[in-house]
Amino acid sequence: MRHAALAGLTLAAGLLATASAARAQDDKRMALSSELPITVEDAAAIEKGSVDVKVRAFFDRLKGDGGRNRLTFDPELQVGVANGLALKVNPGYRVGNADDAQQGDAKLSAEYNIREPSQGRLGLSVEPLVSIPYGSGSKTTEAGLTGRLTQPLGTSAGAPRLHANLSWRHLFDPEPGERDNRFIMAAGMNAPVGPATAVAFDVVREQSQERGKADNFVEAGVRHLVGEDLAVGAGVGVGFGPDSPRYRLLLGVQRSF
């Protein structure tokens, strides 16, 4: 009888471990907190001691002026300093022949996960940030706040999810013709299409620092897990409206430690 009970406990522990591993796999496959593979981000849970290194590249083909191009390198380090709280540093840089090329922005931020999106309940996170420009012709510092909502469409960890992001940016000491305040809005969804793969879609509107201009995008992308701690993503966006780039391509890699 004792052996049977022990065997039962061992089996139960094994099943729980398997379920936990499967949930972790689902969470990583469905994660959008890295901006992989599209712009919209989720309100994902943050674990103390977690470390994520992300390397992303965006290519924008701009309208007008003979077809200008912009390539943005966007690395990021994210460290979970407590459950629900992560610190981030992001020294992005742009090259090409666009007006804002040969410039970069060093972003410092802290993401606080107020509520984790699990068991079908709404998730919520907020992220204050400061962006310090550097490079040729760099502009003034910008600060802001981003709020993220994630609503799972089911109770399983792999259920499709809806997302909404709203960001406010304030530019210190703007030049004539520039906005003091601007907004970035994104809404989208993602869904699993395989054991290690998910697809994502979104619509983005980003007000430019220049008054009267904004970038509008429709994006689609794929996120795929390679092993337990490595994710790759690829996405494409099509701009609409007179000021938006013609299209955008995104490639990225995320390594978790």
Side-chain angles (χ1 to χ4, degrees):
M1 188 71 175
R2 181 181 300 174
H3 292 299
L6 183 59
L9 290 173
T10 302
L11 177 60
L15 291 173
L16 287 173
T18 301
S20 177
R23 177 182 173 82
Q25 186 83 351
D26 281 334
D27 287 342
K28 290 179 181 179
R29 172 186 55 173
M30 296 291 287
L32 291 178
S33 57
S34 58
E35 281 190 87
L36 289 176
I38 55 176
T39 300
V40 73
E41 298 186 65
D42 61 18
I46 300 170
E47 295 183 2
K48 181 179 180 179
S50 62
V51 177
D52 289 287
V53 176
K54 308 156 191 178
V55 180
R56 299 162 295 204
F58 304 86
F59 174 80
D60 292 309
R61 175 69 170 180
L62 308 180
K63 293 179 181 177
D65 298 328
R68 292 180 178 270
N69 302 311
R70 177 174 59 224
L71 179 61
T72 304
F73 296 99
D74 192 39
E76 181 181 277
L77 173 65
Q78 175 179 318
V79 179
V81 296
N83 288 330
L85 179 63
L87 301 181
K88 303 179 185 179
V89 58
N90 181 342
Y93 191 78
R94 300 176 294 275
V95 299
N97 59 4
D99 292 338
D100 60 350
Q102 282 67 57
Q103 300 176 22
D105 300 282
K107 299 183 181 69
L108 304 173
S109 63
E111 182 178 1
Y112 177 55
N113 183 235
I114 298 172
R115 183 171 175 177
E116 176 186 352
S118 64
Q119 300 297 314
R121 71 177 188 175
L122 181 72
L124 172 64
S125 70
V126 294
E127 182 176 354
L129 63 86
V130 61
S131 178
I132 304 170
Y134 66 95
S136 175
S138 59
K139 299 185 178 182
T140 61
T141 298
E142 193 174 46
L145 180 69
T146 296
R148 303 185 181 96
L149 295 173
T150 294
Q151 177 61 62
L153 300 179
T155 57
S156 69
R161 301 177 182 182
L162 300 178
H163 311 278
N165 298 172
L166 176 61
S167 299
W168 163 74
R169 299 287 188 270
H170 176 74
L171 186 65
F172 296 95
D173 194 22
E175 297 180 359
E178 291 185 329
R179 288 184 171 99
D180 293 348
N181 300 285
R182 64 190 183 98
F183 292 91
I184 304 166
M185 296 160 280
M189 70 167 295
N190 62 327
V193 293
T197 307
V199 295
F201 309 90
D202 72 0
V203 178
V204 182
R205 178 175 174 80
E206 179 175 353
Q207 291 183 326
S208 303
Q209 288 185 354
E210 185 177 350
R211 291 184 184 276
K213 292 188 176 182
D215 291 345
N216 304 291
F217 278 98
V218 176
E219 298 178 311
V222 178
R223 179 183 174 92
H224 180 72
L225 293 182
V226 182
E228 294 184 358
D229 300 315
L230 183 66
V232 295
V236 60
V238 177
F240 60 94
D243 305 316
S244 305
R246 295 182 185 276
Y247 61 85
R248 167 178 292 174
L249 303 177
L250 180 149
L251 293 173
V253 178
Q254 177 183 357
R255 179 73 163 87
S256 301
F257 299 90

